[in-house]
Amino acid sequence: TQVLRKSLLKGVVLSTGSLLVYETHKLISGFAEVHASFKVEEVIEQADYLYGSGETEKLYRLLVQHKNSDDDELLWRLARSSRDLAQLSSTSAEEKKQLTYDSLEYAKKALEKNESNSAAHKWYGICLSDVGDYEGIKTKIGNAIVIKEHFQRAIELNPKDATTIHLIGIWCYSFAEMPWYQRKIAATLFATPPTSTFQEALRYFQMAEEADPNFYSKNLLFLGKTYLKLNNKKMALLWLSKAKEYPAQTEEDKQV
């Protein structure tokens, strides 16, 4: 009986010890998860600051360290950053191509991690369009419907995102001014080829401006260009003047 009591007592002590180890492990694991989460938030905060400051190269160097992350918010920002770096005039043709394909992979991974991420849909559409520049006009036109679907999904998830509304305007503008030979290619790829008008493009550019006035130099430029296509020179002059006077912060603003 005494041996049994000792054994039981020892068992209780062991169980208590095991429980203590288990609870300590839980505490450490929980702390690690919170710490990891905090680190991601810290990187995102730093990334957004660099993006707002126009620090394209520094931003890319920060985010590319996290290219194996499973965080969709980090991944779509890396896709955007890779594309922005590819757009710089100082980036070589070889690097530009690699960055363009990399950006699409990052955006795709962000979508796989979270299909409900509006920004991931937006940047997947943008990056897919960029890749089309390397794969020929057939691929670019063939991807057009998919690109628009991702932009539309992005707007469903975030109706106030002026940039995505602008991008659908660009999509409409591109199809409205598509040359005849590209229309023939589209006709071979689709039973009903995608089409649009300058009036439709104008509506999206206006909607983008209403959502966030003066948010993007390129939206001002395309309002002016679209009004020119519609032969409204007075309104074209108004918006082109605004684009000309826009305070240039990025290389794209300077090009505009």
Side-chain angles (χ1 to χ4, degrees):
T1 309
Q2 200 170 0
V3 172
L4 182 61
R5 281 182 64 202
K6 281 183 179 179
S7 298
L8 285 169
L9 185 61
K10 189 178 177 185
V12 171
V13 171
L14 281 171
S15 297
T16 306
S18 300
L19 183 65
L20 183 62
V21 169
Y22 175 67
E23 289 299 330
T24 305
H25 172 71
K26 265 178 44 178
L27 187 66
I28 291 168
S29 299
F31 175 76
E33 283 173 18
V34 170
H35 181 69
S37 173
F38 175 75
K39 188 182 177 186
V40 166
E41 287 170 11
E42 202 175 54
V43 173
I44 288 172
E45 188 178 343
Q46 195 178 348
D48 289 348
Y49 172 78
L50 289 171
Y51 182 75
S53 305
E55 296 280 1
T56 306
E57 292 175 28
K58 282 185 186 176
L59 175 59
Y60 175 77
R61 286 198 297 271
L62 168 71
L63 289 175
V64 78
Q65 299 174 67
H66 305 279
K67 64 181 181 182
N68 296 319
S69 170
D70 286 334
D71 190 278
D72 52 293
E73 289 293 324
L74 275 177
L75 288 165
W76 76 253
R77 282 173 171 82
L78 177 54
R80 177 182 67 182
S81 169
S82 302
R83 182 187 186 267
D84 285 350
L85 188 59
Q87 298 294 312
L88 294 182
S89 58
S90 57
T91 303
S92 71
E94 190 179 340
E95 287 174 317
K96 180 182 172 75
K97 184 176 181 180
Q98 185 61 56
L99 286 164
T100 300
Y101 278 89
D102 287 348
S103 66
L104 180 61
E105 282 306 307
Y106 300 139
K108 183 181 178 183
K109 191 177 172 185
L111 268 183
E112 286 168 357
K113 298 299 172 188
N114 184 4
E115 195 280 334
S116 297
N117 189 318
S118 171
H121 280 283
K122 171 169 72 177
W123 287 99
Y124 183 80
I126 293 170
C127 297
L128 185 60
S129 177
D130 289 346
V131 164
D133 293 338
Y134 291 99
E135 299 193 349
I137 194 68
K138 270 193 176 183
T139 300
K140 196 165 180 71
I141 295 172
N143 287 337
I145 298 294
V146 177
I147 291 165
K148 191 178 183 184
E149 283 171 355
H150 280 282
F151 290 159
Q152 287 172 329
R153 178 68 178 138
I155 291 174
E156 282 172 22
L157 293 164
N158 184 7
K160 293 183 179 179
D161 182 8
T163 309
T164 310
I165 299 169
H166 163 83
L167 288 168
I168 295 188
I170 294 286
W171 190 97
C172 295
Y173 187 97
S174 300
F175 274 94
E177 74 162 0
M178 183 179 277
W180 66 269
Y181 65 91
Q182 290 185 9
R183 290 186 192 280
K184 286 191 77 173
I185 294 170
T188 65
L189 294 173
F190 300 101
T192 307
T195 58
S196 190
T197 63
F198 291 116
Q199 286 88 349
E200 189 179 10
L202 180 65
R203 184 167 61 85
Y204 280 107
F205 295 139
Q206 288 171 332
M207 283 167 59
E209 206 59 32
E210 286 165 15
D212 190 0
N214 216 41
F215 75 104
Y216 187 27
S217 58
K218 207 167 179 181
N219 199 62
L220 304 175
L221 174 66
F222 270 87
L223 275 162
K225 287 179 71 171
T226 310
Y227 272 117
L228 265 182
K229 292 285 187 181
L230 295 169
N231 206 30
N232 187 334
K233 291 183 181 179
K234 184 179 178 183
M235 290 300 289
L237 180 62
L238 170 69
W239 289 105
L240 292 172
S241 297
K242 287 186 179 187
K244 185 174 179 289
E245 291 157 14
Y246 192 88
Q249 291 181 316
T250 67
E251 195 165 310
E252 187 177 47
D253 292 336
K254 290 170 188 172
Q255 289 168 1
V256 164

